[in-house]
Protein backbone atom coordinates (compact mmCIF):
# COMPACT_ATOMS: atom_id res chain seq x y z
CA UNK A 1 0.00 0.00 0.00
CA UNK A 2 1.31 3.44 -0.89
CA UNK A 3 0.49 6.57 1.09
CA UNK A 4 0.78 10.17 -0.04
CA UNK A 5 0.23 13.35 1.96
CA UNK A 6 0.89 17.07 1.91
CA UNK A 7 4.12 17.82 3.76
CA UNK A 8 2.77 21.05 5.30
CA UNK A 9 -0.27 19.29 6.72
CA UNK A 10 1.85 16.34 7.88
CA UNK A 11 4.17 18.69 9.76
CA UNK A 12 1.31 20.50 11.52
CA UNK A 13 -0.39 17.22 12.50
CA UNK A 14 2.89 15.83 13.83
CA UNK A 15 3.19 18.83 16.14
CA UNK A 16 -0.48 18.76 17.17
CA UNK A 17 -0.72 15.00 17.83
CA UNK A 18 2.96 14.23 18.54
CA UNK A 19 3.03 11.48 15.90
CA UNK A 20 4.15 11.57 12.26
CA UNK A 21 2.20 10.37 9.23
CA UNK A 22 5.18 8.10 8.46
CA UNK A 23 4.77 6.35 11.80
CA UNK A 24 0.99 6.11 11.50
CA UNK A 25 1.29 4.56 8.03
CA UNK A 26 3.25 1.64 9.52
CA UNK A 27 0.09 0.52 11.36
CA UNK A 28 -1.39 -0.59 8.03
CA UNK A 29 1.48 -3.07 7.56
CA UNK A 30 1.03 -4.60 11.02
CA UNK A 31 0.20 -8.28 10.55
CA UNK A 32 -1.53 -8.35 13.94
CA UNK A 33 -3.90 -5.47 13.17
CA UNK A 34 -7.59 -5.97 12.47
CA UNK A 35 -9.52 -3.69 10.13
CA UNK A 36 -13.27 -3.83 9.79
CA UNK A 37 -16.07 -1.47 8.74
CA UNK A 38 -17.81 0.60 11.38
CA UNK A 39 -21.32 1.44 10.13
CA UNK A 40 -21.64 4.28 12.65
CA UNK A 41 -18.61 6.12 11.23
CA UNK A 42 -18.07 4.79 7.70
CA UNK A 43 -21.16 5.90 5.80
CA UNK A 44 -19.29 7.75 3.03
CA UNK A 45 -16.05 5.75 3.02
CA UNK A 46 -15.33 3.04 0.48
Amino acid sequence: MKFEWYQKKAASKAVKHDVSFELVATAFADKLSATFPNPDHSQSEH
Side-chain angles (χ1 to χ4, degrees):
M1 189 176 299
K2 182 179 176 183
F3 294 92
E4 296 179 358
W5 51 79
Y6 295 106
Q7 290 300 322
K8 187 175 180 179
K9 183 174 182 177
S12 70
K13 296 296 182 184
V15 170
K16 181 178 180 181
H17 299 288
D18 197 30
V19 65
S20 69
F21 280 11
E22 291 90 349
L23 179 60
V24 171
T26 64
F28 292 92
D30 185 346
K31 294 178 182 178
L32 298 176
S33 71
T35 304
F36 52 92
N38 182 338
D40 294 334
H41 300 283
S42 301
Q43 296 300 327
S44 64
E45 298 176 4
H46 300 282

